Amino acid sequence: MLHHPHHIRAFTLFCLFWAILSVIRVCITGTTEYMGFVWNLILALLPYFFAGFAVQKSWILHYGNVFLWFIFFPNSLYLWTDFVHLGEHPEMLHFDIVYISVMAIAGIICGFASLEILHTYWNQKFHKKIAWTLVSLSMIFWIYGVYIGRFLRLNSWDLIDSPLLVLHEIWMMTITNGGSLIITESHRIAEATRYSAGMTSLSTFLILYFSLFMIFYASLYHIRRAR
């Protein structure tokens, strides 16, 4: 059973707005280069459904969907790093700020909605402090996943498709604090080179985004509880 259907309505509204902006952008630029963002939005939506099914009574459904939710959640936060595309078309700068912001907000709606579902579940099963600890630890892991996705150009599917390769690349990146990337698949080399040109260290990235998302989530969570 899915919780808070108004989240889906809000997500749908932002997606419709994004679709309108996409059509306008294609008409202005004559290209469809950013239409790949559609896939990012689909991946951002998945954690919401996994979280909804994770609170079922069946322990098989629960643990299976919690695992899938945990693995795919970084896709919801990843959309915020797509601002790296700003400046690729200077004449579209302000349009693209709104364009990417709409997509990023849509992703955070689904991501935080799914987190709230599990957070509520943990509050019922454990002490509130333990629930917040689980939220915090999970957030660190997810931001780590975003870093991997942005700079190693890996996604959740790669972990299932090539686990040993992924683990090797992640390990090498981690022990050098993001200072060294080893890209072993040719089709990812160009993108990884492009997006790692101005990369920050892993530790700095974790601190910055952990602070942003935890303050954001905690504020929204307490505002909802205060109503």
Side-chain angles (χ1 to χ4, degrees):
M1 179 178 64
L2 296 179
H3 294 206
H4 310 307
H6 57 275
H7 287 137
I8 290 296
R9 291 194 291 269
F11 177 80
T12 302
L13 179 62
F14 274 96
C15 284
L16 288 174
F17 184 31
W18 181 82
I20 294 172
L21 292 177
S22 296
V23 172
I24 295 173
R25 197 180 193 287
V26 170
C27 292
I28 294 175
T29 64
T31 67
T32 59
E33 59 182 332
Y34 284 178
M35 294 310 294
F37 288 154
V38 172
W39 179 240
N40 290 350
L41 283 171
I42 294 173
L43 290 175
L45 178 61
L46 290 179
Y48 181 77
F49 290 99
F50 291 141
F53 291 120
V55 295
Q56 303 300 310
K57 293 183 178 179
S58 169
W59 68 271
I60 296 179
L61 284 176
H62 172 72
Y63 288 107
N65 281 287
V66 165
F67 174 76
L68 291 173
W69 168 78
F70 197 75
I71 294 298
F72 282 92
F73 187 95
N75 294 297
S76 299
L77 305 183
Y78 177 84
L79 298 176
W80 284 83
T81 68
D82 279 323
F83 284 102
V84 297
H85 295 284
L86 290 177
E88 293 178 356
H89 300 276
E91 73 283 1
M92 298 290 292
L93 178 62
H94 293 286
F95 185 96
D96 286 344
I97 288 174
V98 175
Y99 183 69
I100 296 174
S101 294
V102 170
M103 179 180 63
I105 292 172
I108 211 71
I109 287 173
C110 278
F112 281 3
S114 71
L115 179 56
E116 184 182 0
I117 291 173
L118 270 298
H119 191 176
T120 301
Y121 177 82
W122 291 333
N123 276 333
Q124 296 170 350
K125 294 293 182 178
F126 313 110
H127 190 278
K128 290 184 178 180
K129 290 183 178 179
I130 295 178
W132 273 108
T133 299
L134 290 174
V135 168
S136 300
L137 292 176
S138 298
M139 190 70 75
I140 293 174
F141 174 85
W142 296 324
I143 296 170
Y144 184 79
V146 172
Y147 189 91
I148 291 169
R150 173 50 64 194
F151 298 119
L152 284 181
R153 308 306 294 155
L154 292 166
N155 58 52
S156 302
W157 299 111
D158 292 314
L159 186 60
I160 298 174
D161 183 56
S162 307
L164 294 180
L165 173 64
V166 169
L167 291 175
H168 171 68
E169 293 194 19
I170 291 174
W171 170 250
M172 295 305 297
M173 180 199 72
T174 303
I175 62 175
T176 61
N177 194 25
S180 176
L181 300 181
I182 299 178
I183 310 300
T184 53
E185 292 186 32
S186 59
H187 70 277
R188 288 170 31 229
I189 292 177
E191 281 197 332
T193 301
R194 177 186 183 187
Y195 292 119
S196 64
M199 70 183 297
T200 185
S201 68
L202 174 59
S203 56
T204 301
F205 190 92
L206 287 173
I207 292 171
L208 285 173
Y209 279 95
F210 177 80
S211 301
L212 170 65
F213 290 124
M214 279 303 295
I215 291 173
F216 197 4
Y217 175 75
S219 298
L220 292 175
Y221 184 85
H222 287 300
I223 287 173
R224 282 182 54 79
R225 289 296 178 273
R227 290 179 180 177

